[in-house]
């Protein structure tokens, strides 16, 4: 199975490509951290994708504005050329000056021509100013477009980096996580699944016992919701967690606990610490009694009922043997 070694660094995860990590080097905390990193990176990818979409929309708006501005500049330039062609010469001919000084009608016409000339001059001035402003706006739009394009390029690189990181994290998680359930504690198998002696009133042991020192951490075998937290009965301090795996409901039981770290209704991740091994209830020594039920919890003192042998469906990280020979 493909493996990588995890090292935590702040809120991130460093993946040491090409290095193989044995199951003993991996911990449930690594599994939880990696799963959190997968979810966090998924959210980052989603947000970056949304940013890219927004930038694309902005770029289209800028391009549309730039195109409209080009049309305005072209129209204003043509208008200016037309005005310049209509302008009467700034200086009249000598003949026109003589005529306008002698004939009253010619003088009136000259005055009208001068007024028309001044109107065109003013119109040219205003049109030239408008053209100048449009060109300045065009430069600003181009600068804005360049900024938006730079932002798009940066976000695209970020998106590619994040998607690559997400792919690596998913591979990391798949390499670490068991196919179905995580063996919830490290220790020695002191009693397996099957026929029992009748001690404590049962002739069938519908789980397995993992012996370990009091205080040894207990981890959630799979992600799910805590449906029972109790301190009474033959199981002593015990917890039940309901899981949904590929549409199938499962229930796991953790009994004889020294300490319980979860509350009723709490949602837990696979590998999350839920308590400690102890010897409460009907127990002859510190150990974890662990059960897996296909469906809701259904106890039988004389048969398996809907309980499944954990040794067949639960493993340590990286697919290693379910429990250690010694602890």
């Amino acid at each position: 199975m493909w493996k990588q070694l995890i090292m935590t660094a702040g809120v991130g995860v460093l993946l040491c490509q090409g290095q193989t990590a044995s199951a003993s080097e991996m911990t449930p905390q690594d599994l939880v951290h990696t799963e959190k990193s997968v979810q966090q990176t998924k959210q980052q990818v989603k947000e970056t994708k949304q940013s890219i979409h927004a930038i694309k929309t902005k770029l289209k708006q800028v391009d549309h504005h730039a195109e409209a501005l080009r049309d305005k500049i072209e129209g204003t330039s043509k208008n200016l050329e037309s005005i310049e062609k209509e302008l009467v010469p700034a200086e009249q001919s000598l003949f026109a000056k003589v005529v306008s000084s002698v004939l009253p009608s010619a003088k009136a016409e000259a005055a009208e021509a001068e007024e028309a000339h001044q109107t065109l001059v003013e119109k040219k001035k205003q049109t030239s100013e408008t053209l100048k402003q449009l060109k300045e706006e065009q430069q600003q739009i181009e600068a804005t477009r360049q900024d938006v394009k730079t932002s798009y390029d940066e976000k695209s690189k970020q998106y590619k980096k994040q998607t690559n990181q997400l792919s690596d994290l998913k591979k990391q998680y798949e390499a670490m996580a068991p196919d179905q359930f995580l063996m919830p504690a490290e220790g020695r198998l002191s009693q397996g699944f099957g026929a029992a002696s009748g001690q404590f009133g049962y002739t069938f042991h519908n789980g397995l016992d993992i012996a370990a020192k009091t205080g040894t951490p207990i981890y959630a075998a799979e992600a799910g919701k805590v449906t029972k937290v109790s301190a009474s009965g033959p199981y002593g301090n015990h917890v039940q967690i309901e899981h949904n795996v590929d549409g199938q409901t499962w229930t796991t039981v953790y009994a004889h606990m020294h300490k319980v770290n979860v509350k009723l209704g709490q949602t837990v991740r696979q590998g999350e610490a839920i308590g400690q091994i102890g010897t409460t209830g009907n127990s002859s020594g510190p150990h974890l009694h662990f059960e897996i039920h296909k469906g809701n919890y259904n106890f039988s003192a004389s048969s398996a009922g809907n309980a499944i042998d954990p040794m067949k469906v639960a493993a340590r990280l990286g697919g290693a043997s379910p429990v250690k020979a010694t602890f």
Side-chain angles (χ1 to χ4, degrees):
M1 185 181 290
W2 182 90
K3 298 287 188 297
Q4 290 177 318
L5 177 62
I6 273 192
M7 295 187 296
T8 59
V11 296
V13 174
L14 298 179
L15 301 175
C16 298
Q17 300 287 352
Q19 297 188 30
T20 301
S22 66
S24 62
E25 293 176 308
M26 292 185 272
T27 67
Q29 292 94 327
D30 291 332
L31 184 68
V32 171
H33 183 84
T34 304
E35 198 272 337
K36 287 181 178 179
S37 295
V38 168
Q39 297 305 317
Q40 182 182 25
T41 306
K42 276 184 178 179
Q43 182 61 31
Q44 290 172 346
V45 168
K46 180 181 178 181
E47 291 173 356
T48 302
K49 190 174 182 179
Q50 290 173 342
S51 295
I52 289 175
H53 177 73
I55 291 171
K56 282 183 176 180
T57 301
K58 177 67 175 178
L59 194 58
K60 287 181 179 179
Q61 292 173 345
V62 170
D63 286 341
H64 180 73
H65 190 181
E67 184 177 354
L69 200 57
R70 282 193 296 270
D71 291 341
K72 284 185 179 180
I73 289 174
E74 183 179 352
T76 304
S77 296
K78 290 181 178 180
N79 190 27
L80 184 60
E81 291 176 3
S82 177
I83 292 172
E84 289 175 340
K85 289 179 180 180
E86 291 181 25
L87 276 173
V88 292
E91 297 211 4
Q92 297 176 321
S93 66
L94 179 59
F95 176 76
K97 288 181 178 181
V98 171
V99 170
S100 63
S101 63
V102 175
L103 299 176
S105 59
K107 188 174 183 179
E109 290 178 1
E112 290 178 1
E114 180 62 22
E115 184 179 352
H117 174 79
Q118 290 303 321
T119 299
L120 286 172
V121 168
E122 184 61 29
K123 191 174 182 181
K124 176 184 177 182
K125 181 180 178 181
Q126 292 175 353
T127 305
S128 297
E129 183 62 29
T130 298
L131 184 60
K132 179 183 177 182
Q133 292 174 357
L134 288 172
K135 287 184 176 180
E136 288 175 352
E137 187 178 351
Q138 186 181 46
Q139 291 178 345
Q140 293 174 356
I141 288 295
E142 183 56 36
T144 298
R145 188 186 189 283
Q146 188 58 45
D147 290 342
V148 174
K149 183 64 169 59
T150 299
S151 179
Y152 175 80
D153 292 341
E154 290 175 353
K155 283 294 180 181
S156 295
K157 289 179 182 179
Q158 183 181 11
Y159 180 75
K160 184 177 180 180
K161 182 179 179 181
Q162 288 173 343
T163 52
N164 288 338
Q165 182 183 14
L166 180 59
S167 177
D168 287 341
L169 284 169
K170 285 181 176 179
K171 290 178 181 177
Q172 174 70 41
Y173 184 80
E174 290 170 2
M176 293 174 64
D179 290 338
Q180 280 187 285
F181 295 95
L182 170 70
M183 193 59 66
E186 294 285 0
R188 174 177 55 85
L189 179 63
S190 58
Q191 184 175 359
F193 183 89
S197 63
Q199 185 184 18
F200 299 128
Y202 60 85
T203 57
F204 193 93
H205 192 236
N206 58 353
L208 56 82
D209 292 344
I210 303 173
K213 296 177 181 179
T214 297
T216 299
I218 300 172
Y219 305 100
E222 178 59 89
K225 183 178 181 179
V226 178
T227 54
K228 184 178 181 180
V229 176
S230 178
S232 63
Y235 280 174
N237 296 331
H238 62 285
V239 169
Q240 289 183 15
I241 302 177
E242 184 178 289
H243 318 275
N244 187 303
V245 181
D246 298 328
Q248 172 65 52
T249 297
W250 298 80
T251 304
T252 53
V253 181
Y254 313 78
H256 311 305
M257 299 169 72
H258 170 66
K259 184 177 181 181
V260 175
N261 294 337
V262 292
K263 296 180 180 180
L264 183 65
Q266 180 178 337
T267 299
V268 296
R269 299 173 186 269
Q270 185 180 47
E272 185 173 342
I274 62 172
Q276 298 174 356
I277 283 180
T279 184
T280 58
N282 294 343
S283 171
S284 57
H287 73 284
L288 169 67
H289 174 75
F290 175 54
E291 300 174 16
I292 299 178
H293 294 260
K294 190 172 184 179
N296 296 322
Y297 176 71
N298 183 15
F299 175 76
S300 172
S302 58
S303 68
N306 68 346
I308 305 295
D309 184 356
M311 294 291 283
K312 295 181 178 180
V313 294
R316 292 164 59 210
L317 295 175
S321 299
V323 291
K324 289 183 175 181
T326 59
F327 68 94

